[in-house]
Amino acid sequence: TALSSLHSVDIREKIIKNAYQLIRNATDVKTDATEFNWNLFDTQDVVVVDLSEKDLTNATLTLPAHSLPSGQKTLIVVNGNVLFTGNHEYANTSSDSFGLILLRDKAGPEPERGNIFVHSDVQKLEGALFADGSFFNGDTADVATANTGTREKQLRLIGSLLARNTVGGSRRVGAGYFFSPWDTAGLQKAKRYDLHEIRQFDYDDVANRDANCVKNGANCEENIAAFIMRLDQKSTLLPPPGFLTE
């Protein structure tokens, strides 16, 4: 059964179950929170990084700019955060499929671990992204400062995203109408979790448009949204490990 055919709560439960099965089968679990070594995928379809023993300041795995690995591959990060510091795209879009899964042991709202952060300079991401925390813009893996500061560059994600965010939670009008994924919230907290606040690209800023837009060749992406999410159906048609139910 394809994950895309299930309810979002069922999808979350299925991916978590699948991921823990992959972890149990893993023979070489990494515990270093440094720049990720993409060469690990040369010999493994699934790479597990367990940061449970790290304190929060040392529990961030950095993903610098890199072509995504060939074939169907998945990176699983346990009790840590991920920070994308560069673009990540497929070398072969027809045959490659990449998944990223972040898990956390501690339940509850506003988790400090299990989050995906995207540096403000990053503009192109591809893959199936699953976070048991949230998806943020952030130059560091700090929830408190997420989705703040200068973030005028357009961001495009081609793939899928399942994380604990809202779409428009900070855009309601009137006191008591802002919300986070868990409850009503003040405006600043609502902005932190609102996907509308990931970036602040302004297409009408003609002087800076060319410098800040996502480029297709020499031209700006035709979609003028600040944060573009474009489904590619790989989680259905070419699922990476952990993204398919039996």
Side-chain angles (χ1 to χ4, degrees):
T1 302
L3 287 173
S4 61
S5 67
L6 302 173
H7 187 275
S8 61
V9 174
D10 295 328
I11 294 174
R12 184 176 296 279
E13 292 176 353
K14 293 290 186 180
I15 291 178
I16 291 174
K17 179 180 178 180
N18 291 348
Y20 277 112
Q21 182 62 54
L22 292 170
I23 292 169
R24 285 192 291 271
N25 294 336
T27 58
D28 183 22
V29 175
K30 304 299 181 182
T31 58
D32 295 327
T34 55
E35 285 192 356
F36 181 65
N37 178 10
W38 288 96
N39 292 330
L40 293 171
F41 282 116
D42 291 346
T43 57
Q44 303 175 69
D45 292 337
V46 177
V47 175
V48 178
V49 180
D50 189 344
L51 303 178
S52 300
E53 298 302 317
K54 302 290 186 180
D55 59 54
L56 183 61
T57 58
N58 295 303
T60 299
L61 184 67
T62 301
L63 303 185
H66 202 279
S67 293
L68 293 172
S70 299
Q72 293 166 258
K73 311 285 186 178
T74 295
L75 170 61
I76 300 174
V77 179
V78 182
N79 290 322
N81 294 310
V82 162
L83 173 62
F84 284 98
T85 58
N87 294 339
H88 287 72
E89 298 178 274
Y90 292 116
N92 189 331
T93 57
S94 63
S95 61
D96 297 341
S97 183
F98 176 74
L100 173 64
I101 299 175
L102 278 80
L103 304 173
R104 60 186 172 111
D105 289 342
K106 186 177 180 180
E110 302 175 49
E112 295 181 319
R113 300 179 186 238
N115 302 299
I116 298 173
F117 295 84
V118 182
H119 192 281
S120 299
D121 290 334
V122 176
Q123 293 193 272
K124 297 179 180 180
L125 296 177
E126 296 186 343
L129 308 183
F130 172 89
D132 201 19
S134 301
F135 183 86
F136 298 116
N137 188 89
D139 293 349
T140 62
D142 182 1
V143 173
T145 60
N147 291 358
T148 61
T150 302
R151 52 193 192 282
E152 73 275 6
K153 291 186 179 295
Q154 190 177 33
L155 173 64
R156 182 179 67 198
L157 167 62
I158 299 177
S160 60
L161 173 65
L162 182 58
R164 298 184 188 276
N165 291 83
T166 70
V167 179
S170 67
R171 301 295 179 94
R172 299 294 184 93
V173 177
Y177 285 91
F178 304 125
F179 58 94
S180 75
W182 300 278
D183 204 345
T184 56
L187 178 58
Q188 292 309 310
K189 182 184 290 186
K191 285 184 174 181
R192 189 182 308 155
Y193 292 97
D194 189 349
L195 291 179
H196 283 311
E197 294 293 326
I198 294 292
R199 294 293 170 90
Q200 294 182 323
F201 170 71
D202 182 3
Y203 183 83
D204 293 327
D205 180 7
V206 178
N208 296 300
R209 179 193 299 168
D210 193 66
N212 292 331
C213 70
V214 171
K215 291 292 185 62
N216 292 325
N219 299 317
C220 287
E221 158 76 49
E222 62 182 18
N223 189 322
I224 67 173
F227 176 34
I228 303 164
M229 292 180 59
R230 187 167 292 148
L231 298 178
D232 64 2
Q233 295 187 310
K234 282 185 180 290
S235 60
T236 302
L237 303 177
L238 193 67
F243 285 83
L244 186 69
T245 61
E246 296 180 355

